[in-house]
Amino acid sequence: MSYFVDLNSDIGEGYGAYTMGMDAEILDEVTSINLACGWHAGDAMIMDRTVKMAVDKGVAIGAHPSYPDLLGFGRRAMTITREEAKNYMLYQVGALQAFATAHGTTLQHVKLHGAFYNKACADPELAAGVLDGMEQLGGKIILMALSGSLITKEAEKRGLPVAHEVFADRGYNADGSLVNRSKPGAFVKNIDDALPRVIRMIKEGKVTTADGQDIDIKAQSICVHGDNPQALEFVHKIRQGLLEAGIEVRPLHTFIA
């Protein structure tokens, strides 16, 4: 049996004169990127530069829209309407689409950021607004979202292309949601723990939760973070470990239509 998976990372998250992350280096390891669209991080210059780097390195590009929350890095909860969610999508994804077009490429996917991501994975009204936006964007861009979440199921009902995302460095609750960042078990920091866990997600469709339960999971894209030198080594070892386990690493558009 053949196994394959996408490897993604959130990048372009500096702002103005402020640099965050190791974008050039992470582009050498991943097959897809989620590029900030200016509302939690990023700006026109960063978007332009990062799209060009991704094109030059053959890495697929996705938009990473957020709540309008620069000060909170998009991690603060907000209450917005279904129409606002739709228009937030159109505004941010449209901006990145312009840079993709300018560099002769297209967007592969959309992955929400932070609090927007977490709430849309569980809230029917917010999910509906996001999916309304995906449809108005043409219905061809892949939605990348938390594996097995409400928004993935609703997107599939609408016939939209969906990628089920898992996390190499985050803990899971019994319902498949991520452990809150402030709680014990939220992070998996040791590569010796993370790698076999990820391989099991792909080959067996299982993950062990923070409280020791085994739950079903579908792994089509693995999120890894590369915002410091230690994390970059983590990403590199994840990729090498996948290849050594016979798992091909390739972008979403090669296996999700």
Side-chain angles (χ1 to χ4, degrees):
M1 183 175 182
S2 61
Y3 297 97
F4 47 84
V5 73
D6 175 58
L7 199 58
N8 81 78
S9 189
D10 307 337
I11 72 171
E13 292 185 320
Y15 188 75
Y18 300 95
T19 300
M20 181 176 179
M22 304 177 70
D23 291 355
E25 293 84 356
I26 204 73
L27 278 162
D28 290 328
E29 303 291 345
V30 298
T31 49
S32 299
I33 57 166
N34 318 306
L35 181 51
C37 300
W39 278 19
H40 75 281
D43 57 40
M45 299 304 292
I46 291 171
M47 290 163 74
D48 180 62
R49 181 168 65 247
T50 309
V51 168
K52 183 179 186 305
M53 284 195 298
V55 170
D56 289 345
K57 296 189 178 190
V59 177
I61 300 165
H64 200 34
S66 168
Y67 286 140
D69 182 27
L70 273 176
L71 288 178
F73 197 65
R75 289 185 176 155
R76 296 185 290 192
M78 290 187 177
T79 300
I80 64 173
T81 66
R82 176 172 176 170
E83 185 177 14
E84 286 174 319
K86 178 201 71 176
N87 288 330
Y88 287 6
M89 292 285 292
L90 296 177
Y91 185 94
Q92 294 178 81
V93 179
L96 187 60
Q97 276 184 325
F99 287 105
T101 299
H103 288 282
T105 191
T106 57
L107 296 185
Q108 171 187 256
H109 69 278
V110 169
K111 173 188 168 180
L112 304 181
H113 168 79
F116 199 16
Y117 179 103
N118 292 332
K119 189 171 183 181
C121 282
D123 183 279
E125 189 72 3
L126 188 61
V130 169
L131 297 178
D132 292 344
M134 296 294 291
E135 287 180 335
Q136 290 193 7
L137 287 163
K140 302 297 183 184
I141 300 175
I142 299 166
L143 173 72
M144 183 191 294
L146 184 67
S147 181
S149 61
L150 176 144
I151 196 170
T152 63
K153 295 171 184 174
E154 293 302 313
E156 287 165 350
K157 287 178 185 176
R158 296 192 188 203
L160 295 170
V162 175
H164 290 257
E165 180 183 37
V166 299
F167 290 79
D169 53 3
R170 293 294 306 277
Y172 283 84
N173 296 309
D175 64 356
S177 62
L178 299 178
V179 176
N180 186 288
R181 288 174 174 270
S182 65
K183 294 183 178 180
F187 297 97
V188 180
K189 298 180 179 179
N190 190 327
I191 184 63
D192 292 332
D193 296 327
L195 182 57
R197 183 169 174 266
V198 167
I199 291 171
R200 185 175 182 233
M201 288 184 197
I202 297 165
K203 291 190 171 183
E204 298 179 30
K206 299 283 185 182
V207 68
T208 303
T209 65
D211 63 358
Q213 300 182 55
D214 271 0
I215 60 171
D216 294 332
I217 200 162
K218 185 175 183 178
Q220 293 177 314
S221 187
I222 304 167
C223 181
V224 289
H225 295 101
D227 53 3
N228 61 64
Q230 292 74 31
L232 186 62
E233 181 182 10
F234 186 97
V235 175
H236 178 74
K237 288 183 176 179
I238 287 285
R239 181 179 180 121
Q240 289 304 115
L242 291 172
L243 296 175
E244 290 169 7
I247 299 168
E248 185 180 357
V249 179
R250 64 192 204 189
L252 292 172
H253 66 82
T254 65
F255 59 90
I256 295 177

